[in-house]
Amino acid sequence: MSNRIIAVAIVSGLLLVCAGSAFATGTRLNSMGAAGAYFVGEFPVFVTGNLAIEDEANIFQLPATLTKYGNRVMIDELQGTFDTFGGARFGIHYSISDYTVLAVYGSNVDAGVGLGVPFGAPYQPTSPFLAGGQTSAAAAAGVGNPAGDASGGNPDLTADYKGSIMFAHDIGGFRFGAGIHIFGDSAKVEAPNEAIQDIGVLVMDFDLGVGFDFLGDNSLDFGIGIKFGTFDYVLPPQEKEYYGPETNFAIDLVGRGILNFFQGTQIIPYGHILYEVQGLTDTDPPPGQQGQFGDYSHFGLELGVDLKIEPFERVYIYPGFGFRLDTWKVAALGGNEPEIDRRLALPYYGFGLDARIWDWFVFRMGARQYVLFDKEGTFVSGGTETDTRDAKVITTFDTGFSLIFGENDNWIIDAHLQPEFFLNGPSIISGNSTTDGAGHMNVDVALKYTW
């Protein structure tokens, strides 16, 4: 989008509803490298690409940016796994006035509190919070098949996405926004009495944000997210509550600036701080025995900076670099010391490209390289310590495009093509022959109409 359009929109306080802002989606970010940021190895979840590039997907971390994306309906990041659409979402943005936007979202993603998975999971029991036996407080406690569990399986307490509602308002360049995201799931057996059980989880995620527009197209945005969670784990016989929640809480802080650097270039610094804890305990252990428990915590810090360079009209290049530090601590009954894992990305670097070649066609690509240093430290009963360290480099490549139609660029189709799209022979679209065996499609798309 042109700087002139941005400046006019900010000064006037009007919403961005034309040209540049029309083709902004999570799929667009993926095609510029953000997909690699979110799926590097197992964890952590990098924010590079999702904060450094202006996009309507920013609203989930910077709620005040919603004022810039009014009056639209969309399906975003639509990617199939043959029988489901994990991660896809749909949204409706409605401009109540020239300065106020309301948004409603739905999706089929799952969530919880403190469910980040450190690399090298030492606790392998299947977790009721996560599919696949991944590490969490629940997995550390060995939850999943306690004595007397007549359910015949390991319940999954991951919360399904119920919906979001978001609101933002612009007062002469000062923007504020808020959102609430609700996740929940439950499974009950109410009869017969000997089979009564109640397994459920509820997660509430609250987001607040403020933004400041000044001196033309300069801006600062800040966001805070607070998440609370609880669950029920009542199983037969005698409606026994085997496990109860301890602290289930998360908070994250994000910030981004978009500042004029010199002619045709802006500098975009950003940062992210995350802290999350998850805990559970056996509420009714056998007489004379200490109940099982699990405690999990995760801290993440990321700092980075991108440049936004416009070498030609409607062509934008985003080179950037940064670093990220993550530490995990997992403790459970039977361990003399808690396990502490660490991952350091020092540095990561890369670029994104967004080039509107013709009025109806935009080409995009992105690449990033992550220099990772991992430490997996495990303390087991008896005092024996293991300390494993690994250094590796992960490089990601992404491409994509947009097709734009309508007199005012009202109709947009975004596509993100993973590298396997070009390498998988007859399975270039389905991805059925990918080596991970997951059967994920090699394309995700977004469809949008703006007015």
Side-chain angles (χ1 to χ4, degrees), residues 53-273:
I53 301 173
E54 316 97 292
D55 191 283
E56 70 194 358
N58 299 154
I59 67 174
F60 297 107
Q61 293 174 302
L62 301 171
T65 60
L66 176 61
T67 62
K68 302 183 179 184
Y69 305 103
N71 284 345
R72 62 199 62 212
V73 293
M74 78 199 79
I75 300 173
D76 197 5
E77 296 188 73
L78 185 64
Q79 182 186 51
T81 57
F82 305 120
D83 60 351
T84 184
F85 293 98
R89 63 180 176 270
F90 68 86
I92 305 169
H93 295 203
Y94 178 67
S95 299
I96 299 174
S97 71
D98 288 343
Y99 310 98
T100 308
V101 180
L102 181 70
V104 177
Y105 273 85
S107 176
N108 61 354
V109 299
D110 298 333
V113 174
L115 298 187
V117 184
F119 60 92
Y123 300 106
Q124 294 303 325
T126 299
S127 164
F129 288 88
L130 295 165
Q134 298 153 322
T135 299
S136 66
V143 180
N145 192 23
D149 180 358
S151 65
N154 297 315
D156 178 8
L157 294 183
T158 304
D160 297 328
Y161 184 64
K162 300 295 186 181
S164 297
I165 185 167
M166 305 182 70
F167 171 88
H169 183 68
D170 188 333
I171 306 175
F174 169 72
R175 296 173 280 106
F176 64 89
I180 180 171
H181 316 279
I182 302 173
F183 302 81
D185 201 4
S186 64
K188 293 185 178 181
V189 176
E190 298 184 347
N193 290 338
E194 62 271 15
I196 289 177
Q197 59 182 286
D198 185 354
I199 302 169
V201 61
L202 174 66
V203 176
M204 305 287 287
D205 187 354
F206 302 92
D207 292 326
L208 297 173
V210 295
F212 308 89
D213 300 322
F214 57 95
L215 298 178
D217 51 1
N218 293 282
S219 66
L220 293 172
D221 272 277
F222 303 94
I224 180 172
I226 301 175
K227 187 185 294 185
F228 302 92
T230 188
F231 65 88
D232 297 309
Y233 196 69
V234 177
L235 298 172
Q238 292 85 44
E239 302 179 39
K240 177 180 173 60
E241 182 181 4
Y242 284 97
Y243 291 92
E246 290 291 338
T247 303
N248 290 269
F249 171 80
I251 182 170
D252 69 321
L253 305 171
V254 295
R256 181 188 71 186
I258 301 177
L259 308 170
N260 289 327
F261 195 41
F262 50 83
Q263 183 65 33
T265 302
Q266 292 178 314
I267 187 170
I268 306 176
Y270 59 89
H272 179 220
I273 299 175

